[in-house]
Amino acid sequence: MTDSTTTHSPATQDAAPIVPSFAAVHDVVDRLRATGYLADDATATSTFLADRLGKPLLVEGPAGVGKTELARAIAAATDAELVRLQCYEGIDEARALYEWNHAKQILHIQATGTRDWAEAKTDIFSEEFLLPRPLLTAISRTDPTVLLIDEVDKADVDVEGLLLEVLSDFAVTIPEMGTVVASRRPIVILTSNATRELSEALKRRCLYLFIDFPDAAREKEILESRVPNLPDALASELVRIVGVLRTLDIRKKPSVAETIDWANTLLALGAGEERSKGGRLDEGLIARTLGVVLKHRPDLKTAVKELKLG
């Protein structure tokens, strides 16, 4: 049951209000599980605190462990809109925050005839001509919102400065219009693959969670949840093989999503029927389908050699 109590940050009386979506840590576990996301204790606790305290949650870990999926699951569990800012090298304020519709501004000036600049600018620098990008969109929404700032480590260092105002005050300053303050604080999830060190200023504003590859028992549970027709023996063998692959010196270790894809691939090729009849999973089939979980040729060669598949 959602706790709709509104609390306020002690920092400033004008701070964006916090409207918690989860009642307790066990509520997080249950509601995320209902979306198909199996959260461990650390993930559930961090999610609850981010929601209850109104603080952004920085989630680090290898690619493919479920960082982005966590944000999607939170949005689904809370009936919130997911607003995603995908970071990349070269992303700037215009792509992250807002920009003006210059073409529409010019057309408006031409259509309204000769006027002095002081009069014209009051029209063209208004909401009608504003193009909100993910950060401003999330701040402006009045309904439940999850703001996902994905792969923040791929953005330039300068972009972190842009994030500081948004994540500190949940407000965006538009020089021509003033400051937009969130009427309801979004749940904010930042993800990072740790390809570069983030600034201490950004980290101070966030709670921190590290998600690693799941252990064998957890990954098997995920497989059983996502691929319900998967025989138990095949699930165990897949988890074992993927665990071995992750110990190898390869460029890209298999993600949980790729383990799920591999399970569906093997089922489509009839591997589940063979196992249910007591047959052994064919090594040739493993070798032929390794491209589902390994995406680089040297990785494939290493895996075939180490698994003794050829």
Side-chain angles (χ1 to χ4, degrees), residues 27-171:
D27 185 38
V28 176
V29 173
D30 294 342
R31 290 166 67 184
L32 291 186
R33 179 179 287 273
T35 73
Y37 191 96
L38 307 183
D40 59 19
D41 290 342
T43 300
T45 301
S46 297
T47 300
F48 172 75
L49 291 175
D51 173 58
R52 182 54 57 99
L53 302 178
K55 291 182 68 67
L57 175 61
L58 171 61
V59 186
E60 281 193 336
V65 294
K67 303 185 297 295
T68 300
E69 189 62 28
L70 174 61
R72 293 195 184 103
I74 293 171
T78 58
D79 293 322
E81 182 76 16
L82 178 65
V83 177
R84 180 176 182 176
L85 172 63
Q86 177 63 55
C87 297
Y88 54 87
E89 186 177 352
I91 191 173
D92 59 10
E93 180 175 333
R95 295 302 176 194
L97 200 53
Y98 70 90
E99 61 182 326
W100 294 105
N101 189 333
H102 299 300
K104 189 174 181 179
Q105 287 175 323
I106 292 171
L107 289 173
H108 181 78
I109 291 172
Q110 293 173 341
T112 53
T114 56
R115 296 184 300 167
D116 60 34
W117 173 243
E119 184 180 359
K121 72 179 182 180
T122 59
D123 290 340
I124 64 173
F125 290 115
S126 62
E127 190 172 347
E128 179 184 353
F129 299 92
L130 190 66
L131 298 175
R133 299 309 183 195
L135 295 181
L136 179 57
T137 297
I139 291 299
S140 302
R141 284 180 50 83
T142 57
D143 294 328
T145 305
V146 173
L147 171 60
L148 169 61
I149 304 174
D150 214 5
E151 298 184 304
V152 66
D153 53 321
K154 289 187 177 180
D156 298 330
V157 176
D158 293 344
V159 173
E160 292 187 29
L162 177 65
L163 294 175
L164 294 180
E165 177 188 12
V166 177
L167 300 184
S168 296
D169 304 324
F170 288 89

Side-chain angles (χ1 to χ4, degrees), residues 16 20 79 147 151 209 218 222 227 235 237 242-243 253 292 299 307:
D79 293 322
L147 171 60
E151 298 184 304
L209 171 67
R218 173 69 64 172
I222 293 171
V227 192
E237 189 162 355
V242 168
K253 300 183 187 299
V292 176
D299 291 355
L307 295 176

Side-chain angles (χ1 to χ4, degrees), residues 168-201:
S168 296
D169 304 324
F170 288 89
V172 172
T173 298
I174 304 173
E176 300 86 352
M177 293 177 58
T179 300
V180 178
V181 180
S183 59
R184 175 177 181 144
R185 193 174 298 206
I187 298 174
V188 181
I189 306 293
L190 300 92
T191 73
S192 168
N193 295 331
T195 58
R196 71 170 177 84
E197 188 70 21
L198 301 177
S199 71
E200 290 301 321

